[in-house]
Amino acid sequence: MRMMEQVGFYSPRSRLQAPALSKPQISVLNAVLAAGLYDSVARVLVIPSVEVLERAVCNTETPQGRAQVHPSSVNRNLQTHGWLLYQEKVKYTKIYLRDTTLIPPFPLLLFGGDIDIQHRERLITLDGWIHFQAPVRIGVIFKHLRKLMDSLLEKKLENPRMNLEGERTIQMILDLIRSE
């Protein structure tokens, strides 16, 4: 909790109640999770149930194959197109994902794998398997933002004392993340 306090997500005055995060704070937290857990991303597959009384389960696809969200998860019945980050993959009778959270596209585009833009198809692809149908200019903008971030990180590595407070590139990225 100390780290949450230091970055402004938690106030010591609210120790008796669970910390409430604003929507912009949740967006930034999702981006941090996407940056740290990008290798643990899964595409949600919406598969309609054949049986009327059967409860829908959340099926996903990872680069290693299909999996389901663990039955004890709050996302176990999720039936929406999108992307999940997960903390753990376990195998019982089936392969399950545990500790999952739904993630919007912007953090994946900012902190995910290599971006490939297919101009004719108007398709943005990350690492050859995460696909977004979008105008080409969106892919170009995200590629450019990544170059700006990489350049800034290189400068910071060369000069660790460099103050990044108020840096325009960081503010632009934060504004973009908070807007989604």
Side-chain angles (χ1 to χ4, degrees):
M1 289 309 264
R2 191 174 307 132
M3 286 174 55
M4 294 286 280
E5 282 179 43
Q6 291 172 347
V7 295
F9 283 117
Y10 175 72
S11 168
R13 293 182 300 252
S14 62
R15 285 188 195 271
L16 299 177
Q17 61 189 39
L21 300 178
S22 67
K23 179 153 179 17
Q25 288 174 317
I26 291 170
S27 296
V28 171
L29 189 56
N30 277 337
V32 170
L33 288 171
L37 292 173
Y38 174 73
D39 288 339
S40 298
V41 67
R43 181 169 62 100
V44 177
L45 303 172
V46 178
I47 303 171
S49 176
V50 178
E51 296 289 326
V52 177
L53 299 175
E54 184 181 357
R55 292 186 69 164
V57 296
C58 183
N59 291 290
T60 66
E61 183 175 34
T62 70
Q64 298 80 29
R66 290 194 174 194
Q68 285 184 0
V69 172
H70 195 273
S72 66
S73 171
V74 295
N75 291 324
R76 67 186 169 275
N77 299 325
L78 186 68
Q79 293 294 303
T80 184
H81 293 281
W83 302 94
L84 283 174
L85 291 175
Y86 60 92
Q87 176 68 33
E88 182 179 30
K89 189 187 296 185
V90 294
K91 184 174 182 177
Y92 298 117
T93 56
K94 297 179 181 175
I95 298 173
Y96 292 106
L97 306 181
R98 297 178 58 120
D99 304 325
T100 62
T101 188
L102 197 59
I103 196 82
F106 285 1
L108 293 176
L109 288 164
L110 282 169
F111 304 110
D114 293 329
I115 294 179
D116 181 39
I117 303 169
Q118 298 167 16
H119 295 269
R120 285 190 185 138
E121 293 83 8
R122 296 173 42 123
L123 193 68
I124 303 167
T125 304
L126 300 177
D127 287 339
W129 77 279
I130 297 175
H131 304 288
F132 298 102
Q133 196 76 46
V136 171
R137 71 179 185 279
I138 300 296
V140 172
I141 288 169
F142 276 98
K143 271 187 136 174
H144 184 68
L145 280 172
R146 283 190 178 189
K147 284 181 184 175
L148 289 173
M149 277 193 307
D150 288 346
S151 171
L152 194 58
L153 283 170
E154 284 177 20
K155 289 176 186 173
K156 180 67 174 172
L157 287 172
E158 290 170 5
N159 179 10
R161 294 180 188 257
M162 179 181 165
N163 185 0
L164 296 178
E165 192 172 328
E167 170 61 45
R168 282 184 41 202
T169 302
I170 293 174
Q171 279 310 126
M172 190 170 36
I173 290 168
L174 284 171
D175 290 344
L176 178 66
I177 290 168
R178 290 176 185 140
S179 74
E180 190 175 33

